[in-house]
Amino acid sequence: MPGLQMSEVQRRVAAELQRIAPVLDPLGERFAAAGHALALVGGPVRDAMLGRLQNDLDLTTSARPEVTEKLLAGWAEATWDIGRAFGTIGARKGDWVIEITTYRSDAYDPDSRKPQVAYGDSLVGDLGRRDFTINAMAVSIPGQVFEDPYGGIADLAHRLIRTPGRPEDSFSDDPLRMMRAARFAAQLGFTVAPEVVAAMTDMAERIDIISAERVRDELVKLVCAPYPRLGLSLLVETGLADRVLPELPALRLERDEHHRHKDVYEHTLTVLEQAIELEPRLGGPGPDLVSRLAALMHDIGKPKTRKFVGDGAVTFHHHDVVGAKLTRKRMQALRFSGDQIDAVSKLVELHLRFHGYGSGEWTDSAVRRYVRDAGDQLDRLHVLTRADCTTRNARKAERLRRTYDELEARIDHLAEQEELDAMRPDLDGEQIMSILGIPPGPDVGAAYRFLLERRLDHGPLPPEDAEAALREWWAAREAAGESAPESAPESTPESTR
């Protein structure tokens, strides 16, 4: 959107207001008849100027929540008051979701992350308490009078993120706004004003009073934005990342004197961007959070595992395993879900596995194990592994691409032949117990694991061959006295429970 012209902004806003007028004008007339002002505000006004249509509308009003609720009655198809404590009443009208909030002039305790809600008495005052000028514009409803007391439209045209007042005051009120600045940079591709960056740097420690859940939510929005490098770089530059995602700035390792390893931090951001380019392979409708987080975290084990050997060469042995543990710990601290933590940690742990493939020396057994270990993250592992190639050597990059193409082709071929997605032994727990004449218990689990390993090594067997192999294994085991004692606790494979 470089060189955004005022005429283009006006055209976009006019088109959006025309689209929403049939819905909001009657509502505005209701408020006006009751002696109250109503205005479209914040994100919807900004997005209208950017040409980003949406059906979620934020409005502000001079009416108190109880009055808003009465005025919505008979107009809205449904209302809710979950935000009443903050002056907000929600409503639905057809496909439109609307939130109406009473003018605010909140006060904050410096040691608290929660405002003491106080109602304001003017639109200008309400706009002044908002986070950034591009979110501090409004359009009155009805009448469509544009209000921009803090120069938001100019900042939008110049692609600039700036606060309505002093950034220090804004961030003192709500420290999460510092992360929101980085998030908007990532979402819009805008530059953050120098005085805002300076305040973020000076006040970074204020983010510590914000709950892990709110920090996580902003980080997720940033990572899933179109330009996450902009936002992440700003978090690192200002020191905020040291407090919310310290593993990222830790990647800025001092270069060894011989420059024999890449800049891990820049490499990580490039891997993230390349993973985003490969997301269409996943077939999802939008940004893939798990894939992006895996790309961001895949090398965080390197600082703890870096060693200089010989003539100054650098190694990072086991940084995949160490990184997986660090990933799990950080994501738990940020209150991610268990499923998300498991998925991202698995991808970090497996991201180097392909490099053992060499030039295609893996046996079918090794390919099966690669699929088995990746499980339901196989497609994301394909994306991460491909994205992790950031070499500037064109011949090396092409060789790696062809080799991974070959591995994927082998996986597809084996999948067609063997149903790799199922990846179970040729006999289930019930069949094992029947053939061996044993009750549920650890021996069944041991037999199940034996058959699974055999399946991985040799592919599927006919039932009679699987039974013969099982009996042979069992006889050898009994001869060696390895069967479990009868007093051992029962344990049965999941597939038989």
Side-chain angles (χ1 to χ4, degrees):
M1 205 182 58
L4 185 63
Q5 300 298 314
M6 192 68 69
S7 59
E8 176 64 12
V9 170
Q10 292 171 330
R11 185 192 65 77
R12 289 174 177 175
V13 172
E16 178 69 348
L17 291 177
Q18 185 176 7
R19 185 176 75 98
I20 65 179
V23 178
L24 290 189
D25 280 357
L27 183 61
E29 291 166 1
R30 279 174 168 255
F31 275 75
H36 290 288
L38 184 68
L40 186 69
V41 70
V45 179
R46 177 198 71 225
D47 288 346
M49 294 180 176
L50 295 172
R52 304 188 333 181
L53 303 181
Q54 58 175 299
N55 278 24
D56 292 352
L57 303 177
D58 294 329
L59 296 100
T60 188
T61 182
S62 58
R64 296 295 191 262
E66 62 274 12
V67 176
T68 296
E69 202 166 28
K70 291 178 181 178
L71 292 172
L72 286 170
W75 177 86
E77 296 167 7
T79 61
W80 53 90
D81 65 352
I82 191 171
R84 180 184 290 275
F86 298 96
T88 301
I89 303 295
R92 179 175 56 80
K93 177 78 168 180
D95 294 332
W96 302 85
V97 175
I98 297 165
E99 289 192 343
I100 305 176
T101 303
T102 302
Y103 297 156
R104 297 264 295 273
S105 59
D106 300 341
Y108 286 78
D109 184 320
D111 298 321
S112 172
R113 57 177 173 259
K114 296 181 180 179
Q116 298 172 354
V117 177
Y119 295 134
D121 55 10
S122 73
L123 176 59
V124 171
D126 180 86
L127 295 177
R129 56 164 287 276
R130 295 180 179 265
D131 51 7
F132 306 109
T133 60
I134 58 173
N135 296 329
M137 299 179 285
V139 178
S140 62
I141 304 295
Q144 300 183 358
V145 176
F146 182 61
E147 299 282 354
D148 182 24
Y150 301 101
I153 193 169
D155 289 341
L156 200 67
H158 290 100
R159 303 167 62 85
L160 186 67
I161 295 172
R162 194 171 56 84
T163 55
R166 293 176 67 249
E168 292 83 1
D169 295 336
S170 180
F171 299 154
S172 180
D173 284 348
D174 185 356
L176 191 65
R177 289 173 174 173
M178 295 185 287
M179 289 201 65
R180 284 169 62 82
R183 188 247 291 183
F184 279 119
Q187 286 181 330
L188 302 174
F190 284 15
T191 299
V192 179
E195 70 273 16
V196 176
V197 174
M200 292 169 66
T201 304
D202 292 342
M203 303 178 67
E205 76 282 356
R206 282 280 293 161
I207 201 68
D208 293 347
I209 71 170
I210 300 297
S211 69
E213 289 83 359
R214 292 183 71 202
V215 169
R216 175 204 62 210
D217 289 348
E218 284 298 325
L219 186 62
V220 166
K221 292 174 184 176
L222 188 161
V223 170
C224 288
Y227 315 104
R229 180 189 282 261
L230 290 177
L232 292 168
S233 298
L234 184 60
L235 292 182
V236 171
E237 174 191 348
T238 58
L240 280 163
D242 289 319
R243 315 192 79 86
V244 301
L245 191 65
E247 295 78 9
L248 182 60
L251 294 175
R252 296 182 298 177
L253 300 172
E254 292 182 8
R255 299 291 296 274
D256 64 285
E257 59 179 339
H258 300 289
H259 300 284
R260 295 192 180 180
H261 72 272
K262 299 174 184 176
D263 182 324
V264 183
Y265 171 70
E266 290 297 330
H267 163 77
T268 294
L269 297 180
T270 300
V271 171
L272 172 58
E273 291 178 325
Q274 293 184 168
I276 292 171
E277 292 175 3
L278 292 168
E279 277 182 347
R281 292 173 60 100
L282 300 175
D288 188 82
L289 175 63
V290 168
S291 178
R292 294 189 183 200
L293 286 176
L296 185 62
M297 308 291 274
H298 79 285
D299 271 349
I300 64 171
K302 281 190 170 180
K304 285 186 175 293
T305 58
R306 183 172 70 155
K307 283 186 171 53
F308 294 99
V309 295
D311 61 349
V314 183
T315 66
F316 301 99
H317 293 314
H318 307 301
H319 78 266
D320 47 346
V321 177
V322 172
K325 292 178 180 177
L326 293 174
T327 296
R328 181 173 294 277
K329 184 177 180 180
R330 177 53 50 197
M331 292 185 69
Q332 286 172 340
L334 289 171
R335 306 291 193 270
F336 279 91
S337 72
D339 288 344
Q340 291 170 325
I341 294 171
D342 289 344
V344 177
S345 300
K346 176 186 285 189
L347 288 166
V348 172
E349 185 170 0
L350 294 177
H351 82 273
L352 289 181
R353 185 74 63 87
F354 161 71
H355 295 285
Y357 189 70
S359 56
E361 295 88 353
W362 276 4
T363 62
D364 284 352
S365 172
V367 174
R368 293 186 193 102
R369 281 179 165 77
Y370 187 77
V371 174
R372 189 271 307 271
D373 292 346
D376 60 0
Q377 299 305 315
L378 181 61
D379 288 339
R380 288 182 173 126
L381 184 58
H382 290 334
V383 165
L384 177 59
T385 304
R386 289 179 180 276
D388 196 21
C389 175
T390 61
T391 178
R392 295 178 182 176
N393 185 320
R395 292 179 61 183
K396 181 179 179 181
E398 177 60 20
R399 184 172 68 252
L400 287 169
R401 185 192 64 78
R402 286 200 311 267
T403 305
Y404 206 84
D405 285 346
E406 177 191 319
L407 175 58
E408 285 200 58
R410 288 183 65 188
I411 290 172
D412 291 342
H413 178 68
L414 284 172
E416 289 178 6
Q417 289 183 322
E418 304 179 12
E419 298 181 354
L420 285 186
D421 290 341
M423 197 64 77
R424 294 184 179 88
D426 300 294
L427 303 173
D428 62 25
E430 295 292 340
Q431 291 171 307
I432 290 170
M433 289 187 287
S434 175
I435 291 169
L436 299 181
I438 58 176
D443 285 337
V444 180
Y448 188 92
R449 290 189 293 274
F450 161 74
L451 289 172
L452 179 58
E453 289 298 313
R454 191 173 182 89
R455 166 80 167 77
L456 289 166
D457 286 336
H458 304 291
L461 294 173
E464 58 273 15
D465 291 351
E467 180 177 341
L470 175 64
R471 290 185 182 279
E472 181 180 349
W473 170 82
W474 181 251
R477 197 166 183 266
E478 284 193 313
E482 294 179 0
S483 59
E486 292 184 4
S487 60
E490 291 190 357
S491 176
T492 307
E494 289 290 341
S495 62
T496 68
R497 291 178 182 170

